[in-house]
Amino acid sequence: MSQATLHAPTVRTTCPYCAVQCTFDLHLERGLPVKVTPTKDCPVAHGTVCKKGLAALNDLRHPERLTTPLLRKGGELTPVGWDEALAYVRDALGNLPPERIGVFGSGSLTNEKTYLLGKFARVALRTPHIDYNGRYCMASASTALNRTVGYDRGLGFPADDLIRSDLLLLVGANVAETLPPLMQYLKGIKDRGGTIYAIDPRATTTSKVAGRHLAPRPGTDGILALGLLHLMKQWGRIRPTAPAHGMAQVLAHADDYHPARVAHDCGLTEEDIFTLGRAYAEARTPLILTGRGPEQHTQGTDTVQAWLNLAFLTGHFGKVGGGYAPLTGQGNGQGGREHGQKNDQLPGARSLRDPRHRAEIAALWDVPAEALPQPGHSAQELLNACGNPAEGGLDALIVIGSNPVVSAAGAGQVTQNLKALKHLIVIDFLPSETAQLATLVLPGSMWCEEDGTTTNLEGRVQRRRRAVTPPGAAREDWRILCDLAAALGRPHGFEYPDFRALQDEFFRATRGGKADYSGLSADRLDRATAQWPVKSATGPDTPYAYAPPFFTPDGLATLHVPQLRAPTLAPRALHLTTGRLGNQYQSGTQTRRNPALKAEQTVQIHPDTAREHGLGAGDLVTLRTAHGQATAPVALTPGLRRDTVFISFHWPESANLLTDPHALDPHSRMPGFKATPVTLHPAHLSLPLPTRPTLSPVS
Ligand SMILES: Nc1nc2c(c(=O)[nH]1)N[C@H]1C(S)=C(S)[C@@H](COP(=O)(O)OP(=O)(O)OC[C@H]3O[C@@H](n4cnc5c(=O)[nH]c(N)nc54)[C@H](O)[C@@H]3O)O[C@H]1N2
Ligand SMILES: Nc1nc2c(c(=O)[nH]1)N[C@H]1C(S)=C(S)[C@@H](COP(=O)(O)OP(=O)(O)OC[C@H]3O[C@@H](n4cnc5c(=O)[nH]c(N)nc54)[C@H](O)[C@@H]3O)O[C@H]1N2
Ligand code: SF4
Ligand SMILES: [Mo]
């Protein structure tokens, strides 16, 4: 190592990817970050990282990095200067009624950008139609927690407490691939003699480490939870965490869920139900963690509710080491769902429907409260409305931090809708599939090119620090949003002299909200991270969030009776479920280009099912659903249920050509990403293997 390297400066920041938000030291050489070192004092990872984080710098100066605005001229995206790009925005959006313009945000954005995006939509565009990709992610868990205890902070306790659990139920969470540093806690639980169950239709890397695996049919997790509640009632194990509304109804409803019925609906044996029930009844600190497996269904909210009810009624919710919590996914999935990019939300997890909340934020933003729009379309409805007068008709959409052409349900239909828009403006740093459809692409900033804060899966706020400036004519995202407001002739409220001014306004805006960050500042966060709420500059943070009294008008929780149906399949149909691979991230914009992160798309099928369909390993199979079709090579997967197939959604034209853009959870507006009836069709076997799966939407 050269002397220069040894003495090179380092900048401490957080990873661009998942909700663990590992802290890194970035080593700089000649002003550019060249190496990532995990830091031992990272509160969750404690110095471990995953491959994605270590390789994150490969995208920073990637040859495809966007360095200039691109405007569609004569059908082609053509480099232009910022003046021309902003003049386009002025002419394009300035002449549209506000309710014809939509904004689509992201749980990848820092808290400050999330806050600014919500303000931009309501104050500069004056549109009700802003929502974000967290609707596809945490919305069902968040909705269930909010309606039960009045708020949602992901893990209600520090991650270090995970090892205090003596029974961990990982329900549809493949943490070995998706939140790898959490594996040290699984080891900790086992070292202390605890038991871990992975509940997943597939055997996964996680289930192997867990040691116990139950594979219910996709979409039946809530019924399994009802079966456990039924047993706990029979066995006299009901001792609620606190008095609550709705308990009698929830307990009466569980009477119908006897083990024989539950086993039948879930595709398990009665013995499975009893064994799990005994383990739960005997555990001192059972902890239920849900991932996207049980949540991303059209009955996702009620499914989570069933697990939450179980934890609450057996007295574990809110207790150290036990209870129920969802595992947050995106880097700022937690903060991203608190500060106003949600269609019905104002900063600090306030409600856009609440007159008092509207007045508080209107005063801060210096606008009349009546000028703030009411709630608009949710994410999928927003995309369904694009270019589509039959579904609420939007003419223009601004997308930042998401790639819905790959990640939205019914991506074939969504692609057609986006093409039908008059104006599609995408702020990204790489040419995502969505950016490639845009009429205007604005080159934004990557994680280590900006300051800000993110909130990790334990509700802990940490600083992101800028190590380098964006390349070429790329700009920091927050500046782009302010430039757009100015181009629209609405600069008032978007004239921050510097980033600190925006950040301080953001912290102030949360004062008095449920997600109160008002005691925080960049300086305080330099000294120590903090879990919200943090209500004053000198006051404490809140490591434990879910203790009564809850954030409800009377301080009590309200349990809801879950309405759950077991999915039915036509003859010959199978369940299609979707999810993630360890080496790829989300819609893949940031990881498919990264040579350090090799992965391939396959369709995982049980060997017996494959044989019945005349398929062998590596054969191309076409998956057909009511919404589209997709072709990819078969991977024989013995640990998978025979009635289920699995495909990842990291590649374009894959999983989401098969999912339904219209069926949504009535409470969370979540699409059914994880259960679609599918049929298998061997593709022409003499075809060469494609370098990436090829699919076409059903016309
Ligand atoms: N490598 C990697 N890590 C990531 C991400 C990524 O894209 N790549 N994304 C981040 C984000 S945003 C998120 S939300 C998290 C998600 O993290 P996870 O929730 O762990 O991810 P998934 O793979 O979507 O789903 C988890 C498991 O659910 C199972 N499953 C499918 N259907 C069902 C069902 O009906 N019931 C049950 N019980 N299980 C089911 C799948 O087989 C899968 O193993 O990961 C975060 N971390
Ligand atoms: N079938 C199926 N579909 C799914 C899921 C599933 O399990 N199955 N999971 C769902 C879930 S949980 C999620 S979270 C979504 C995620 O899917 P998306 O919402 O598409 O999220 P990403 O792929 O992370 O997209 C991020 C895009 O924004 C860019 N970007 C990232 N950070 C920033 C930033 O700070 N600024 C700017 N300007 N651009 C940025 C990236 O380059 C990329 O193009 O997918 C959902 N879709
Ligand atoms: S992707 Fe998640 S686990 Fe991996 S380094 Fe980044 S924050 Fe840590
Ligand atoms: Mo997510």
Side-chain angles (χ1 to χ4, degrees):
M1 197 185 279
S2 74
Q3 205 58 9
T5 316
L6 270 177
H7 295 286
T10 61
V11 175
R12 177 148 310 181
T13 191
T14 59
C15 176
Y17 302 124
C18 85
V20 175
Q21 282 298 278
C22 292
T23 52
F24 296 160
D25 279 334
L26 290 182
H27 301 263
L28 272 60
E29 257 178 40
R30 285 182 287 277
L32 261 194
V34 291
K35 189 174 161 234
V36 161
T37 324
T39 58
K40 287 248 176 323
D41 54 2
C42 175
V44 181
H46 299 295
T48 64
V49 272
C50 77
K51 239 177 151 177
K52 295 189 298 301
L54 286 176
L57 284 173
N58 289 351
D59 282 348
L60 192 61
R61 293 294 178 265
H62 192 278
E64 288 181 80
R65 182 72 200 269
L66 300 171
T67 56
T68 169
L70 302 169
L71 183 61
R72 194 165 295 277
K73 290 185 178 178
E76 295 292 313
L77 282 172
T78 311
V80 295
W82 278 97
D83 288 347
E84 191 175 344
L86 293 171
Y88 169 86
V89 173
R90 180 195 63 215
D91 297 342
L93 305 188
N95 293 322
L96 284 177
E99 64 281 0
R100 312 287 281 193
I101 307 174
V103 177
F104 199 97
S106 166
S108 285
L109 307 179
T110 58
N111 290 314
E112 291 77 4
K113 290 194 286 184
T114 295
Y115 164 77
L116 188 63
L117 192 68
K119 181 180 180 186
F120 170 76
R122 273 79 180 223
V123 175
L125 292 174
R126 302 178 183 170
T127 179
H129 300 307
I130 169 169
D131 210 51
Y132 79 119
N133 67 2
R135 185 70 65 179
Y136 294 150
C137 182
M138 300 290 298
S140 292
S142 183
T143 304
L145 275 164
N146 270 307
R147 73 181 187 182
T148 305
V149 293
Y151 55 97
D152 144 37
R153 208 199 66 185
L155 280 191
F157 49 82
D160 281 346
D161 277 2
L162 286 168
I163 60 158
R164 300 198 192 193
S165 165
D166 62 349
L167 173 69
L168 177 63
L169 307 189
L170 282 169
V171 188
N174 184 12
V175 292
E177 311 265 349
T178 56
L179 306 165
L182 296 193
M183 294 308 281
Q184 64 195 294
Y185 300 101
L186 269 61
K187 183 170 181 301
I189 290 172
K190 290 180 84 172
D191 288 349
R192 290 160 60 112
T195 303
I196 306 175
Y197 273 87
I199 299 177
D200 193 311
R202 291 187 305 151
T204 59
T205 327
T206 310
S207 70
K208 284 181 195 113
V209 175
R212 302 197 187 196
H213 177 211
L214 275 187
R217 289 203 294 148
T220 62
D221 302 273
I223 295 174
L224 179 59
L226 284 168
L228 295 179
L229 185 59
H230 177 100
L231 290 179
M232 296 312 120
K233 190 176 168 190
Q234 272 204 336
W235 296 343
R237 300 286 168 156
I238 301 301
R239 47 177 94 86
T241 291
H245 303 288
M247 289 198 293
Q249 293 88 326
V250 166
L251 284 167
H253 173 253
D255 287 343
D256 294 340
Y257 289 84
H258 46 82
R261 171 186 177 178
V262 172
H264 173 265
D265 284 356
C266 298
L268 298 170
T269 65
E270 278 186 62
E271 189 48 36
D272 289 334
I273 315 290
F274 278 113
T275 307
L276 182 62
R278 271 192 299 273
Y280 191 84
E282 285 163 13
R284 270 177 305 104
T285 45
L287 175 63
I288 300 156
L289 296 176
T290 57
R292 299 304 80 77
E295 298 171 16
Q296 290 174 319
H297 292 276
T298 55
Q299 46 187 17
T301 304
D302 280 356
T303 299
V304 170
Q305 185 77 52
W307 290 102
L308 178 50
N309 290 349
L310 174 68
F312 196 98
L313 288 167
T314 49
H316 300 295
F317 183 77
K319 299 284 162 62
V320 173
Y324 164 76
L327 289 166
T328 298
Q330 297 185 86
N332 195 31
Q334 180 66 46
R337 61 184 190 263
E338 297 165 358
H339 302 301
Q341 63 177 333
K342 226 168 136 254
N343 69 341
D344 57 354
Q345 190 189 57
L346 289 169
R350 286 182 174 85
S351 168
L352 196 50
R353 292 191 178 88
D354 183 321
R356 189 169 58 83
H357 292 177
R358 293 170 67 87
E360 286 165 0
I361 295 301
L364 181 82
W365 288 350
D366 194 20
V367 295
E370 317 78 74
L372 293 177
Q374 289 294 330
H377 296 310
S378 70
Q380 186 70 38
E381 288 157 311
L382 218 148
L383 297 173
N384 292 347
C386 284
N388 185 355
E391 294 197 46
L394 294 179
D395 292 325
L397 182 71
I398 300 176
V399 179
I400 174 166
S402 183
N403 186 12
V405 163
V406 177
S407 56
Q413 183 62 54
V414 166
T415 303
Q416 298 310 318
N417 291 0
L418 296 185
K419 284 183 180 166
L421 285 169
K422 289 191 183 127
H423 310 286
L424 173 61
I425 299 171
V426 176
I427 308 172
D428 206 313
F429 39 71
L430 284 164
S432 71
E433 285 70 22
T434 306
Q436 288 168 35
L437 296 185
T439 54
L440 177 69
V441 181
L442 297 173
S445 44
M446 291 188 84
W447 54 292
C448 57
E449 295 167 351
E450 57 185 16
D451 281 312
T453 54
T454 60
T455 307
N456 77 0
L457 80 182
E458 13 151 52
R460 185 188 301 278
V461 189
Q462 305 189 111
R463 277 197 70 181
R464 229 176 227 190
R465 293 185 186 80
R466 186 160 86 146
V468 59
T469 49
R475 288 185 182 172
E476 285 165 87
D477 290 341
W478 73 272
R479 284 195 191 276
I480 296 178
L481 294 175
C482 295
D483 291 344
L484 294 181
L488 292 166
R490 306 245 166 81
H492 183 60
F494 298 92
E495 295 165 309
Y496 303 101
D498 54 23
F499 177 77
R500 273 293 168 94
L502 164 62
Q503 184 170 55
D504 290 345
E505 179 183 298
F506 155 66
F507 286 136
R508 264 201 320 281
T510 66
R511 175 169 299 139
K514 292 173 187 172
D516 191 330
Y517 290 38
S518 63
L520 293 177
S521 61
D523 296 338
R524 178 167 174 173
L525 290 172
D526 279 341
R527 294 192 296 275
T529 63
Q531 287 173 272
W532 68 257
V534 189
K535 295 182 182 171
S536 78
T538 50
D541 75 336
T542 314
Y544 297 94
Y546 292 131
F550 300 113
F551 220 118
T552 54
D554 59 4
L556 299 185
T558 300
L559 306 189
H560 298 259
V561 174
Q563 308 295 335
L564 296 166
R565 286 162 285 105
T568 51
L569 282 180
R572 294 193 56 246
L574 302 166
H575 300 286
L576 170 73
T577 194
T578 64
R580 293 163 167 78
L581 306 176
N583 264 3
Q584 289 295 309
Y585 191 69
Q586 314 274 64
S587 71
T589 309
Q590 293 162 275
T591 46
R592 276 183 272 120
R593 290 176 167 78
N594 193 327
L597 299 173
K598 294 254 182 306
E600 63 166 22
Q601 177 70 300
T602 59
V603 182
Q604 298 182 9
I605 306 178
H606 190 278
D608 294 349
T609 309
R611 202 173 314 113
E612 281 163 23
H613 286 81
L615 291 162
D619 291 349
L620 287 179
V621 59
T622 297
L623 306 180
R624 259 185 221 146
T625 71
H627 318 286
Q629 62 179 42
T631 303
V634 170
L636 296 178
T637 312
L640 179 63
R641 286 181 63 87
R642 286 175 175 74
D643 60 4
T644 302
V645 298
F646 174 94
I647 189 169
S648 85
F649 78 104
H650 304 299
W651 280 266
E653 301 174 334
S654 60
N656 282 319
L657 286 188
L658 302 163
T659 50
D660 184 348
H662 288 108
L664 303 178
D665 179 296
H667 311 288
S668 65
R669 316 308 285 160
M670 168 76 80
F673 288 118
K674 286 209 168 25
T676 312
V678 69
T679 52
L680 306 187
H681 308 269
H684 204 285
L685 296 182
S686 62
L687 282 179
L689 284 186
T691 48
R692 70 165 211 228
T694 51
L695 321 168
S696 50
V698 166
S699 52

